[in-house]
Amino acid sequence: VEAERESGGGTVQAGGSLRLSCSTTYGFSFDDSDMSWYRQPPGDDCELVSSILKDGRTNYADSVKGRFFISRDGAKNTVYLQMNSLKLNDTAVYYCAAGSAPLERGTYCDPNLWGQGTQVTVSS
């Protein structure tokens, strides 16, 4: 988590779009790492949203399939999350992390451990 820095969040109306970016620090083995986006909704469990493996394969949570698209740029050591057709329940703090493991039910993504993340707020 410390090797990544998220940006691109904001407030958007339902149906709108945002693109999140996650830049990794110099020395981080980006090309050798699976990368994922997680999110911590208010009052709910932290969850795996999407992963992109080092070989380029992608995975998505059912709730975002067809709306979110993950990509990576090896030249920039950056991973992106394009979020379209945003819904109210997409409101969350979004975190980028190396790896692709889903989280156990009841997990809370503690900002003290996960970093600042980037806040996405979808309004009606």
Side-chain angles (χ1 to χ4, degrees), residues 4-99:
E4 300 91 1
R5 183 175 299 276
E6 304 91 346
S7 63
T11 300
V12 63
Q13 285 191 323
S17 299
L18 284 173
R19 189 176 83 152
L20 307 183
S21 299
C22 170
S23 59
T24 59
T25 58
Y26 177 78
F28 179 75
S29 300
F30 183 82
D31 290 340
D32 293 330
S33 300
D34 301 335
M35 299 296 297
S36 295
W37 286 96
Y38 296 82
R39 66 184 179 187
Q40 177 65 62
D44 208 341
D45 297 346
C46 197
E47 63 175 343
L48 174 64
V49 176
S50 181
S51 299
I52 183 164
L53 308 186
K54 53 190 176 183
D55 64 6
R57 287 178 293 157
T58 58
N59 296 297
Y60 298 93
D62 288 343
S63 59
V64 306
K65 281 181 181 176
R67 300 189 298 120
F68 289 14
F69 301 94
I70 192 170
S71 60
R72 62 192 297 161
D73 184 336
K76 297 181 179 180
N77 283 9
T78 300
V79 62
Y80 303 97
L81 185 67
Q82 177 67 43
M83 306 188 297
N84 301 324
S85 302
L86 282 161
K87 302 178 180 180
L88 297 179
N89 60 8
D90 292 320
T91 294
V93 179
Y94 284 72
Y95 299 97
C96 171

